[in-house]
Each structure stands twice: as structure tokens, then as C-alpha cells.
């Protein structure tokens, strides 16, 4: 009888030690995943808390929130830095091109230059400088975004309206009809159109917009974004297109950040798609 009791106690202790070891191993795996996510700059990653004790769950939730806050602050600092740089560059380039254009126009307006061998050269300088001025002016958008005028909208109805602009694309919209958010609809439209336009230019035929866990997932089946390009997507002027300006996605991120939202590239696209962007509320709206 005593032997049976002892064996039972040993078995119970062994099983308890096994459960404790397995639990600790799961904690170690979650710590590794979070460390790797931070190292790779993936601030959208959240450590799963299922199966954790209440104290451990609270700690993991706090780490998840901290990681999200770091990601948002990093993105915000990037936007502000590029905005300041763009403002300085456009100002200096305009200061240089304005007098050149003025001088060229004066010479081209002179009758004595019409038959001069210098006319063609000055005209080329004028045209090149005009193109540069127009190019710089397009980047002024990065620093002259209109002040947001937020209002309550239905994302489902709003996206349905945008889908009519791209009838050649198949749209799958999975957003609750009762859902409402507060945002400037004009600025939001500009941001989403930039994302959809990029998808269409990448050969997408289908757009999926899904609301999940208080986030808006915008997916497409266009060409995948190579890993070496993913970290540079939101850098102003960066583009892999032959005729791209490189301000669409940075401008979209800035537009959303001004209103308390964040735009990021999902580390893993939604199933069935090649690229997924995520719009999430900084205030967990």
C-alpha cells in the first residue's frame, strides 16, 4: 500500500515537472519569436498568449503593446525626418531653379536670339529646368498635406465606392456593415487609391479588404515584393518602377499617421494573396 502511494506521488511529481518544463519551453519560444521580430523590424508581430497563466499573459500583453508602440514611434520619426529633409531639398532646389528659368525666359523672349546658334541650347536648359521644377513640386505634397477633417464613416460603404473606380479588378470586401471609424474620408481615399494603384501596376487582378482584430487588411495578388525591397517601401522617392515617383506609399503613411492610424506591410500576406498592407489605429479605435 505504501509502495503504491509512493509510486503515485512520484508519477504525479514527474507529470507536474513535465508540464512545468513544457510550459517554460513555450515561454522561451515566445521570447525568441519576439526578439527575432524586433531584430527584423517587424513591429506588427504579436506574441501568442493562449495557454499562459494570468500573470504571464499580462506580461506578454504588455510586451506586445510595447512592441507596437516602438513600431509606431519609429514610423512616426521616419515620417517626420523625411518630411523635414523633403522640405529643405525642395526649398533649396527651387531657389536654384527659379533664377535659371527667369534668365532663360528672358533670353528666349529676345528677338535677337531667335536665329542665334545659342537658342537651341538655352531652350534645352529651360525645358530641363522646368521639368526639374515640376518634379520637385510633386514632392511638395509631402510637406503640404491638407489639415484632416475627420468624420464618422462606414468603411464598408467607403471601400465599395472606391471599388467602382477600378472595375477591372475583382474586389472581395469583408467588413462588418455596422462598423464605423472616425477619419478624414478624402485623405483616406487618397491613401487607399495609392495602395490599389500600386497593386494594379504590379499585375494584380484581385483586391481583398478585410477587417480583422481592429485592423484593415488590404491584400492583392500582384507580384510579390522581394524581401530586399520591403524595408524601403516607405522611404520617399524610393521606387522600383521605371516611371514611378516613389511618394505614393510614404504619402499614404503620412496621411494616415496624421489622423492616428498606422500603415505597414504585413510580414506575411493574407492566405491566397501575395502582398498585404495593414491599417491599424494607434489609439486602438
Amino acid at each position: 500500500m505504501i509502495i503504491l502511494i509512493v509510486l503515485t506521488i512520484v508519477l504525479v511529481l514527474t507529470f507536474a515537472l513535465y508540464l512545468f518544463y513544457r510550459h517554460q519551453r513555450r515561454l522561451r519560444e515566445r521570447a525568441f519569436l519576439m526578439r527575432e521580430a524586433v531584430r527584423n523590424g517587424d513591429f506588427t508581430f504579436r506574441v501568442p498568449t493562449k495557454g499562459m497563466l494570468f500573470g504571464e499573459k499580462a506580461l506578454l500583453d504588455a510586451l506586445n503593446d510595447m512592441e507596437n508602440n516602438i513600431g509606431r514611434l519609429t514610423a512616426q520619426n521616419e515620417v517626420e525626418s523625411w518630411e523635414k529633409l523633403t522640405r529643405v531639398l525642395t526649398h533649396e532646389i527651387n531657389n536654384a531653379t527659379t533664377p535659371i528659368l527667369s534668365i532663360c525666359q528672358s533670353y528666349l523672349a529676345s528677338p535677337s536670339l531667335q536665329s542665334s546658334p545659342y537658342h537651341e541650347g538655352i531652350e534645352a536648359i529651360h525645358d530641363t529646368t522646368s521639368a526639374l521644377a515640376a518634379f520637385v513640386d510633386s514632392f511638395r505634397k509631402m510637406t503640404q498635406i491638407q489639415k484632416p477633417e475627420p468624420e464618422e464613416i462606414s468603411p464598408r460603404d467607403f471601400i465599395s465606392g472606391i471599388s467602382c473606380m477600378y472595375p477591372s479588378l475583382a474586389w472581395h470586401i469583408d467588413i462588418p456593415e455596422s462598423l464605423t471609424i472616425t477619419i478624414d474620408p478624402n485623405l483616406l481615399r487618397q491613401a487607399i487609391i495609392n495602395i490599389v494603384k500600386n497593386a494594379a501596376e504590379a499585375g494584380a487582378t484581385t483586391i481583398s479588404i478585410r477587417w480583422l482584430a481592429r485592423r484593415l487588411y488590404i491584400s492583392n495578388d500582384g507580384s510579390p515584393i522581394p524581401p530586399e525591397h520591403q524595408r524601403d517601401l516607405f522611404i520617399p522617392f524610393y521606387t522600383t518602377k521605371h516611371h514611378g515617383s516613389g511618394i505614393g506609399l510614404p504619402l499614404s503613411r503620412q496621411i494616415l499617421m496624421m489622423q492616428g492610424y498606422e500603415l505597414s506591410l504585413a510580414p506575411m500576406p493574407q492566405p491566397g494573396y501575395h502582398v498585404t498592407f495593414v491599417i491599424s489605429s494607434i489609439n486602438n479605435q
Side-chain angles (χ1 to χ4, degrees):
M1 184 66 179
I2 295 177
I3 295 176
L4 182 60
I5 294 175
V6 172
L7 287 174
T8 302
I9 293 174
V10 170
L11 287 172
V12 170
L13 289 175
T14 302
F15 184 67
L17 287 173
Y18 165 74
L19 291 178
F20 176 77
Y21 170 77
R22 189 177 69 172
H23 188 72
Q24 293 302 309
R25 188 173 62 181
R26 291 171 66 187
L27 281 175
R28 185 178 63 184
E29 290 172 351
R30 283 163 168 75
F32 172 79
L33 290 174
M34 173 160 281
R35 185 164 53 246
E36 287 298 295
V38 173
R39 185 174 68 85
N40 294 318
D42 176 16
F43 298 107
T44 63
F45 176 80
R46 293 186 64 83
V47 178
T49 59
K50 185 178 180 180
M52 296 290 104
L53 299 176
F54 66 92
E56 296 165 343
K57 184 177 183 302
L59 178 60
L60 292 178
D61 284 338
L63 289 174
N64 283 332
D65 291 339
M66 185 182 300
E67 184 181 27
N68 288 339
N69 289 334
I70 292 174
R72 289 163 184 158
L73 289 174
T74 300
Q76 185 173 353
N77 288 335
E78 287 179 357
V79 167
E80 291 174 353
S81 297
W82 285 115
E83 182 181 352
K84 292 175 182 176
L85 178 60
T86 302
R87 187 183 299 115
V88 171
L89 288 176
T90 54
H91 177 74
E92 294 301 323
I93 294 174
N94 278 331
N95 284 346
T97 57
T98 300
I100 295 175
L101 280 173
S102 178
I103 293 171
C104 288
Q105 288 169 354
S106 296
Y107 276 117
L108 291 174
S110 174
S112 61
L113 194 67
Q114 297 300 320
S115 58
S116 167
Y118 299 108
H119 182 275
E120 186 176 347
I122 294 177
E123 190 173 42
I125 294 174
H126 176 272
D127 292 344
T128 302
T129 307
S130 296
L132 177 60
F135 179 77
V136 171
D137 189 60
S138 68
F139 293 134
R140 196 183 296 274
K141 297 176 183 177
M142 294 289 294
T143 58
Q144 293 184 341
I145 302 175
Q146 69 183 65
K147 184 179 179 181
E149 297 181 1
E151 59 183 78
E152 193 173 84
I153 65 170
S154 164
R156 182 181 180 88
D157 295 340
F158 183 80
I159 298 298
S160 295
I162 294 179
S163 67
C164 298
M165 300 172 60
Y166 293 88
S168 61
L169 298 175
W171 289 74
H172 300 292
I173 303 174
D174 183 13
I175 303 175
E177 293 183 5
S178 59
L179 176 68
T180 60
I181 61 173
T182 302
I183 197 168
D184 185 311
N186 293 323
L187 293 177
L188 177 61
R189 182 179 294 104
Q190 184 176 353
I192 293 181
I193 286 176
N194 282 335
I195 297 172
V196 175
K197 179 175 176 288
N198 284 346
E201 292 174 349
T205 60
T206 304
I207 301 291
S208 168
I209 301 190
R210 182 184 184 194
W211 180 264
L212 180 65
R214 294 186 296 184
R215 292 179 173 87
L216 193 67
Y217 291 82
I218 306 175
S219 306
N220 70 79
D221 59 352
S223 300
I225 300 174
E228 63 269 21
H229 297 318
Q230 292 180 4
R231 294 180 64 87
D232 299 327
L233 285 178
F234 297 103
I235 295 178
F237 322 138
Y238 175 84
T239 180
T240 58
K241 304 174 188 174
H242 295 298
H243 305 290
S245 64
I247 64 171
L249 287 176
L251 184 61
S252 297
R253 170 180 263 189
Q254 186 176 356
I255 283 172
L256 291 167
M257 191 163 287
M258 289 172 61
Q259 305 181 77
Y261 292 86
E262 182 183 5
L263 174 64
S264 59
L265 177 70
M268 292 293 293
Q270 292 281 291
Y273 297 93
H274 298 152
V275 178
T276 297
F277 286 95
V278 185
I279 296 178
S280 54
S281 170
I282 292 177
N283 300 317
N284 292 321
Q285 166 170 281

